[in-house]
Amino acid sequence: MTQTTMRIIKADNYDEMSQIAAEIFISKIKQKPDAVLGLATGSTPLGLYKNLIEDHQKNGTSYQQIHTVNLDEYIGLSKDNPNSYHSYMMNNLFKYLDIPQNHIHLPHGDAVDLLQECERYETIINDLGNVELQVLGIGKNGHIGFNEPGTPFSSKTHIIELKESTRQANARFFNHLDEVPKQAITMGISTIMKSKEIILLASGEAKAEATYKLIHGDLTEQLPASILKQHPAVTVIVDKEAASMLD
Ligand code: GLP
């Protein structure tokens, strides 16, 4: 068993988890108005984004100097495809904020030269001086970004073959499983680890086992999230269902 230095916050429910995460983001933005924020997709961060939008509208927290980098994008989907993570981010966050378009970064899933695109993306993150605060969800199999089990901890931004279980889990966003891309571009595990601070959100019973293994299991490439045990500033925020296997 590996000793963890991660800070664990148990929230009563999804809304409280989202609110706590939003407070951490908002205080970071206030403290550093030109921070680079690392963002994630999926169902889990939707409540966080809702809170950020409400705060922007009510309190005027500004994103004019903020830059964002997202974890990943499906290969083969153009920016305008409604299932692309570009569209997800526009529709669930960016269109409500005052962030300049050219401050928003996601990998281009429809790039002609995908290897070059991976290098371009890694360079963007380095040139921005790395991520100040990164939010992560967790896959049922312990993936972070789209780094599936078995991905080397040393990986940089790269192309990944999605596991069938991941495609099935994400099929709910598409009309049919066949439409779910088989590959993605994802920040690598070493890219994620360069973030100065990380918040991992886990909600719902489906994440209870991955959450348990993250906190109590071994450091192993078979559970990509387990690398976070080695990061000096990780906060894991879980709701009751995701915490149900913890002591
Ligand atoms: C996707 C994303 C991950 C996300 C995970 C969990 O595969 N690439 O970044 O954390 O799914 O998604 P959800 O929050 O919908 O459970």
Side-chain angles (χ1 to χ4, degrees):
M1 203 170 285
T2 316
Q3 201 56 42
T4 177
T5 55
M6 298 183 295
R7 179 164 72 123
I8 318 286
I9 300 178
K10 291 183 189 170
D12 274 345
N13 51 43
Y14 177 80
D15 286 346
E16 194 185 67
M17 177 196 80
S18 304
Q19 215 179 320
I20 297 168
E23 279 162 17
I24 298 174
F25 264 84
I26 293 162
S27 77
K28 178 62 71 185
I29 295 163
K30 293 217 163 101
Q31 177 201 327
K32 201 168 187 295
D34 60 350
V36 180
L37 304 179
L39 302 177
T41 51
S43 305
T44 311
L46 286 173
L48 159 65
Y49 298 154
K50 200 168 142 262
N51 278 284
L52 295 182
I53 294 165
E54 272 172 24
D55 165 72
H56 171 68
Q57 289 170 346
K58 275 195 210 139
N59 308 318
T61 303
S62 175
Y63 292 74
Q64 275 176 14
Q65 298 178 67
I66 293 290
H67 281 79
T68 64
V69 289
N70 260 80
L71 286 167
D72 45 20
E73 178 61 285
Y74 288 115
I75 287 182
L77 301 191
S78 70
K79 272 187 182 185
D80 309 334
N81 186 302
N83 286 314
S84 73
Y85 284 164
H86 274 89
S87 295
Y88 169 105
M89 289 307 301
M90 280 300 159
N91 295 332
N92 293 305
L93 185 63
F94 297 143
K95 73 176 179 193
Y96 299 102
L97 303 179
D98 58 347
I99 184 164
Q101 287 288 324
N102 62 347
H103 287 198
I104 295 171
H105 304 284
L106 287 97
H108 296 160
D110 59 351
V112 180
D113 187 336
L114 291 165
L115 288 177
Q116 202 177 44
E117 176 58 13
C118 293
E119 277 177 35
R120 184 193 71 89
Y121 201 65
E122 190 75 22
T123 305
I124 285 178
I125 297 167
N126 285 333
D127 289 352
L128 286 169
N130 295 323
V131 171
E132 195 75 38
L133 178 60
Q134 172 73 55
V135 63
L136 298 175
I138 185 167
K140 280 189 229 170
N141 62 8
H143 72 236
I144 47 175
F146 264 135
N147 292 287
E148 296 281 30
T151 306
F153 283 155
S154 60
S155 55
K156 295 185 173 175
T157 301
H158 63 287
I159 298 168
I160 189 104
E161 304 289 324
L162 299 178
K163 299 269 185 213
E164 213 36 46
S165 59
T166 298
R167 292 184 64 240
Q168 277 160 11
N170 289 357
R172 66 188 190 279
F173 295 109
F174 294 77
N175 292 323
H176 196 269
L177 178 63
D178 292 348
E179 290 179 18
V180 185
K182 298 203 159 106
Q183 293 181 311
I185 296 183
T186 181
M187 270 191 211
I189 296 184
S190 80
T191 325
I192 294 172
M193 287 293 279
K194 284 190 295 184
S195 308
K196 289 168 201 149
E197 189 181 338
I198 296 176
I199 300 175
L200 182 139
L201 303 178
S203 162
E205 219 185 318
K207 304 296 172 67
E209 194 180 338
T211 304
Y212 175 84
K213 287 184 181 161
L214 164 66
I215 293 167
H216 294 296
D218 292 333
L219 178 71
T220 165
E221 287 178 350
Q222 291 314 311
L223 192 92
S226 66
I227 191 67
L228 299 175
K229 292 171 189 291
Q230 296 206 327
H231 191 284
V234 174
T235 303
V236 178
I237 313 176
V238 285
D239 68 7
K240 269 203 179 123
E241 289 75 23
S244 59
M245 287 174 72
L246 305 177
D247 31 286

